[in-house]
Amino acid sequence: EGGRASRGKSVHQILGLQRKTQVAAMLAATEYPEDRFLVFATADGTVKRTTLDQYGRPREGGIEALSLKPGDRLVDVQVTDGTGDVVLATSAGRAIRFPEAEIPPTGRVSQGVRGVKLRGDEVLVGMVAMRREGDLCMVTERGFAKRVAMDDLPVQGRGGIGSVALPTMRGTGKVVSARELLPDEDLMAVTAVGRTVRVHGDQVVPGDLKTPPEPAVELSSHDRIVAVTRTSRQPQVYGGRGLA
């Protein structure tokens, strides 16, 4: 635990990882039951589902969790109970929602299956495992943002092209982040030049699928958003199975 300005300790040193390894997700878990799953999503639109108990015996240096194709990378991992829907969002502002049950459970070293069909240089930028009432919040590289109620996203079959959830326009840039946003949460955006900006969740414009995004972060002409995370306005209490 450290202060706001403290340097912290390298995750590579703590976990014994190679320096070139990039951390894509961190999950809190105290138990590893067979009826819970890890759902993985990669940049090329692939999704994979594996029972959580297969990750309960870690080894020094980690264990293999996913086989990636050359050029692909892990975007996010979520803990689920296997009964809800999954939402995938792309850099072109499209989102697809489908039942998690359409992702066949596989072993740790498998590659997974297609979750969303991508076009051109489009990539997957975010995943939400639906288990509560929240909004899908999408943020573009030029600081535009928008949130859509999850229930407004039509349920489709896995592997389709989805629906336009954030209409990108000239000046908005591509979507770089898609997160679940709850009523008591804010966003923390990190820019390419190292600025960190907190955005109050209520300042992100709500709308339907056709509503255009609005500016949420003021950026200089040479800066852009590179990462976005959620932060709660209330103290967090973690316990049980680590599914908070």
Side-chain angles (χ1 to χ4, degrees), residues 19-20 25 37 39-40 52 89 95 99 113 116 119 136 142 151 155 164 188-189 212 232 234 238 243:
R19 283 290 174 179
K20 65 180 181 180
F37 298 87
V39 177
F40 299 76
L52 186 58
V113 295
V116 60
R119 300 167 173 172
L136 175 67
R142 290 299 304 158
D151 289 341
V155 179
V164 175
M188 294 291 287
S232 176
Q234 303 296 328
Y238 296 97
L243 301 181

Side-chain angles (χ1 to χ4, degrees), residues 47-232:
V47 288
K48 173 194 165 182
R49 184 164 67 122
T50 305
T51 54
L52 186 58
D53 65 300
Q54 296 189 45
Y55 302 91
R57 293 189 177 91
R59 296 189 290 270
E60 184 177 355
I63 57 177
E64 187 171 359
L66 173 69
S67 295
L68 290 171
K69 299 177 183 177
D72 197 9
R73 61 180 174 83
L74 182 63
V75 172
D76 199 6
V77 187
Q78 298 277 335
V79 181
T80 73
D81 62 6
T83 62
D85 291 349
V86 172
V87 176
L88 304 177
T90 78
S91 58
R94 294 189 294 112
I96 185 171
R97 172 185 173 186
F98 56 86
E100 181 187 327
E102 293 189 2
I103 308 174
T106 57
R108 280 195 298 108
V109 297
S110 62
Q111 288 187 342
V113 295
R114 180 182 297 278
V116 60
K117 186 179 296 184
L118 303 176
R119 300 167 173 172
D121 61 352
E122 184 180 18
V123 295
L124 188 144
V125 297
M127 172 179 67
V128 176
M130 294 178 58
R131 56 181 181 266
R132 50 201 171 189
E133 292 186 8
D135 293 340
L136 175 67
C137 182
M138 306 176 78
V139 182
T140 75
E141 59 187 350
R142 290 299 304 158
F144 286 72
K146 171 188 172 181
R147 54 190 173 96
V148 179
M150 296 288 187
D151 289 341
D152 287 348
L153 299 172
V155 179
Q156 305 176 26
R158 176 183 60 79
I161 62 173
S163 306
V164 175
L166 185 150
T168 56
M169 305 170 292
R170 185 176 182 179
T172 64
K174 297 180 180 179
V175 176
V176 294
S177 176
R179 301 273 183 176
E180 178 187 37
L181 186 64
L182 302 178
D184 61 345
E185 291 182 331
D186 297 336
L187 298 175
M188 294 291 287
V190 181
T191 77
V193 300
R195 290 179 58 218
T196 301
V197 182
R198 183 165 187 157
V199 179
H200 197 287
D202 295 339
Q203 294 177 343
V204 180
V205 58
D208 57 25
L209 297 181
K210 296 181 180 180
T211 304
E214 293 187 2
V217 179
E218 185 176 347
L219 299 171
S220 62
S221 59
H222 62 277
D223 202 3
R224 60 186 177 87
I225 303 293
V226 295
V228 180
T229 189
R230 303 153 45 201
T231 179
S232 176

